[in-house]
Amino acid sequence: MAFEQKVNDFMAKIIAKNPGENEFHQAVHEVVESLIPYIEENPHYSEAKVLERIAEPERVILFRVPWLDDKGEIQINKGYRIEMNSAIGPYKGGLRFHPTVNLGVLKFLAFEQVFKNSLTTLPMGGGKGGSDFDPKGKSDNEVMRFCQSFMTELCKHIGPNTDVPAGDIGVGGREIGFMFGQYKRIRNEFTGVLTGKGREWGGSLIRPEATGYGATYFAEYMLNAKGDSLKGKVVTISGSGNVAQYACEKVTELGGKVVTLSDSQGFIYDPEGIDEEKLAYVMHLKNVKRGRIKEYAEKYGCEFHEGQRPWGIKCDVAMPNATQNEVNEEEAKTLVANGCFVISEGANMPSTPEAIAVYADAKILYGPGKAANAGGVAVSGLEMSQNSLRLSWTREEVDNRLKQIMKDIHATCEKYGTEGDFIDYVKGANIGGFVKVADAMLAQGVV
Ligand code: NDP
Ligand code: 2IT
């Protein structure tokens, strides 16, 4: 049977079993395209139906989250936790609070997480969860009541050796604090059940920075492999949340110039570069004031492009750091035509399949999310280690470990993805992430 036919047959079953879950289909498709040829060469995986098992969550938890808003009115949201795979460690992955959250979105994120966590070299299984709750425009008290109600149910299913959630879109330090407080209150246990905690109560230094720093280190290592570096490069970044902010900080530190940031309303273009002082303004605007990126353009007198994404701006390096499917085929073509030759994905699955095909045709350096953004969960893993040891490491120690992990992920991609003088990072990350999980599943029997 031809390769294409095998992929299509596999996907037809996935689509029939998981109807309407488009993002999940997309994520599985990308992985099976890399894995089917590999599995053919290693038939013990196909005989044991490892791929079929990996695409089915071990457990899906769905629950009601009722809470009272500031007017005393009852609101109802959906809560989810997808426990995808525990072959190599407790389920691990973020929680997303965003109105677009649904089962298909969380299953795609949980599926990606399994491979990503395996790539980090740390013992973490894969999971993801969240809610269709929209924190935008809510008071701190409303966010707290929501988080408490969410954790009242979630706490029955998680634990430091079972499932360890963290942040993602709409879930940062504030939300982790409210959820940790509620878990501790109900279970009467002070334990590392969540990562991304505050420094004074079990958090790790560098965890807030880790995803953005890690995606920047990954870009640097891809460039280093070509005898180049980020120094002097013009970089476009989308998003202005946790990942975008710390990517901006690290790119600037390594000598690159970041010229864009965005949010769901549009992007700012600052050709002078977003330096340390301007980034401090963005951090205050986004993390404290919870305002819109448009205000940056008003403050610094630069362009704001309403309702648009930054991929039309000429750059050497692009870092999509906002959300899934935020770079389409047309935008990928524009990036390449304008000379962009490095893509490092801080976000999960930000490029559409058509955009990825454009990068592949152009043979540019393309670091897919499951490799490039693994620094966040890697430092979450380090936070778990520190919690178990009841110790905390210095900033330098954690940052050095993060750099080493990103370097190791690059080496894994190189090992499994090298084709002549080209590294196919998609293939390398998919196979590299798969092998460890698959071998563990084989060793553990029919589970
Ligand atoms: P934040 O909530 O801190 O920031 C998200 C940013 O993306 C905001 O600027 C937001 O704009 C923008 N955004 C979100 N959804 C959309 C949308 N549908 N359309 C346009 N813009 C959007 O989240 P993070 O920075 O933590 O996450 C960003 C990405 O990185 C996500 O894909 C996440 O899964 C991924 N990631 C995060 C990790 C982490 O440790 N936090 C680890 C690995 C990956 P607005 O405010 O207008 O909504
Ligand atoms: O997508 C991701 O890797 C995250 N949101 C971070 C997960 C984690 O457990 O730190």
Side-chain angles (χ1 to χ4, degrees):
M1 208 191 310
F3 160 68
E4 198 111 325
Q5 189 59 43
K6 285 196 176 149
V7 173
N8 290 343
D9 286 356
F10 187 88
M11 285 313 301
K13 287 186 199 141
I14 292 288
I15 292 165
K17 276 183 172 229
N18 306 276
E21 298 174 4
N22 298 337
E23 290 85 357
F24 180 60
H25 307 160
Q26 183 183 335
V28 174
H29 188 265
E30 191 239 276
V31 167
V32 301
E33 269 193 324
S34 301
L35 287 181
I36 284 184
Y38 182 76
I39 284 176
E40 292 212 326
E41 289 163 23
N42 298 277
H44 57 296
Y45 293 129
S46 51
E47 282 153 20
K49 299 213 171 159
V50 176
L51 210 48
E52 286 84 345
R53 281 194 269 161
I54 261 183
E56 191 67 41
E58 288 178 13
R59 191 175 298 106
V60 173
I61 299 149
L62 249 163
F63 50 98
R64 176 169 70 203
V65 190
W67 56 282
L68 282 174
D69 70 15
D70 285 346
K71 291 189 222 120
E73 201 175 307
I74 297 170
Q75 301 289 338
I76 298 107
N77 286 100
K78 285 180 182 292
Y80 304 82
R81 186 72 183 166
I82 317 295
E83 296 183 336
M84 199 74 192
N85 194 297
S86 62
I88 63 166
Y91 308 107
K92 180 82 196 88
L95 296 170
R96 178 177 290 191
F97 293 168
H98 195 272
T100 56
V101 161
N102 59 40
L103 189 59
V105 167
L106 294 179
K107 277 172 68 178
F108 116 63
L109 289 162
F111 182 76
E112 291 279 291
Q113 199 81 45
V114 173
F115 299 86
K116 183 197 304 190
N117 293 5
S118 164
L119 284 168
T120 65
T121 70
L122 303 174
M124 298 182 287
K128 200 85 187 190
S131 174
D132 59 355
F133 174 74
D134 185 359
K136 269 199 208 93
K138 304 290 191 298
S139 69
D140 284 351
N141 279 330
E142 287 177 321
V143 171
M144 180 178 74
R145 286 194 294 272
F146 171 80
C147 287
Q148 290 180 337
S149 180
F150 183 83
M151 186 51 88
T152 299
E153 177 59 32
L154 187 68
C155 77
K156 300 170 190 166
H157 311 284
I158 62 176
N161 296 312
T162 307
D163 184 353
V164 184
D168 193 78
I169 292 176
V171 178
R174 175 182 61 168
E175 291 74 18
I176 293 292
F178 293 150
M179 288 190 276
F180 183 78
Q182 185 72 351
Y183 182 91
K184 183 162 60 61
R185 193 172 160 206
I186 296 175
R187 301 282 292 257
N188 195 22
E189 260 182 7
F190 192 111
T191 180
V193 66
L194 294 164
T195 58
K197 300 185 289 300
R199 274 189 62 182
E200 312 304 329
W201 38 281
S204 175
L205 288 165
I206 302 281
R207 177 61 189 91
E209 294 88 339
T211 311
Y213 279 16
T216 309
Y217 294 146
F218 200 79
E220 181 78 352
Y221 297 141
M222 289 196 290
L223 281 159
N224 290 168
K226 289 274 174 198
D228 202 345
S229 77
L230 276 167
K231 203 169 167 50
K233 300 290 184 293
V234 174
V235 181
T236 51
I237 291 181
S238 66
S240 49
N242 172 267
V243 180
Q245 291 169 17
Y246 288 105
C248 181
E249 181 168 288
K250 188 50 78 178
V251 167
T252 310
E253 220 179 284
L254 295 180
K257 182 165 82 168
V258 177
V259 294
T260 67
L261 287 173
S262 73
D263 61 23
S264 53
Q265 290 172 347
F267 77 91
I268 56 113
Y269 174 43
D270 185 346
E272 306 285 302
I274 300 162
D275 61 19
E276 205 180 320
E277 182 223 309
K278 291 172 181 173
L279 180 61
Y281 169 82
V282 172
M283 287 185 173
H284 187 263
L285 173 68
K286 285 287 165 183
N287 310 344
V288 182
K289 243 182 100 188
R290 300 186 190 271
R292 310 310 304 159
I293 200 67
K294 185 182 181 177
E295 295 170 49
Y296 178 104
E298 287 153 15
K299 175 152 174 83
Y300 293 108
C302 71
E303 293 171 17
F304 175 68
H305 295 260
E306 184 147 8
Q308 288 183 47
R309 302 191 282 227
W311 315 126
I313 301 296
K314 189 173 162 49
C315 65
D316 303 303
V317 179
M319 298 183 73
N321 288 346
T323 193
Q324 63 271 10
N325 292 327
E326 55 162 324
V327 188
N328 63 27
E329 181 177 19
E330 210 52 44
E331 291 164 318
K333 282 183 179 159
T334 306
L335 281 167
V336 170
N338 282 339
C340 173
F341 68 104
V342 183
I343 312 271
S344 187
E345 294 183 338
N348 286 304
M349 206 170 76
S351 302
T352 64
E354 296 79 19
I356 296 171
V358 172
Y359 311 149
D361 281 349
K363 293 215 159 189
I364 63 172
L365 300 173
Y366 167 52
K370 66 171 76 67
N373 73 38
V377 74
V379 175
S380 278
L382 301 178
E383 183 171 327
M384 290 167 72
S385 305
Q386 293 169 80
N387 291 165
S388 297
L389 291 166
R390 300 191 185 281
L391 282 174
S392 42
W393 295 330
T394 62
R395 217 183 138 78
E396 196 187 13
E397 163 111 44
V398 181
D399 197 26
N400 284 338
R401 285 179 188 262
L402 170 63
K403 279 184 198 152
Q404 188 57 50
I405 288 170
M406 298 315 295
K407 208 175 259 180
D408 290 344
I409 296 174
H410 187 277
T412 301
C413 292
E414 202 170 6
K415 176 175 170 190
Y416 290 103
T418 296
E419 289 169 352
D421 62 352
F422 177 69
I423 302 175
D424 181 342
Y425 288 92
V426 174
K427 182 178 162 196
N430 286 338
I431 299 176
F434 170 79
V435 170
K436 197 164 98 179
V437 177
D439 289 346
M441 287 171 74
L442 289 182
Q444 291 167 23
V446 181
V447 288

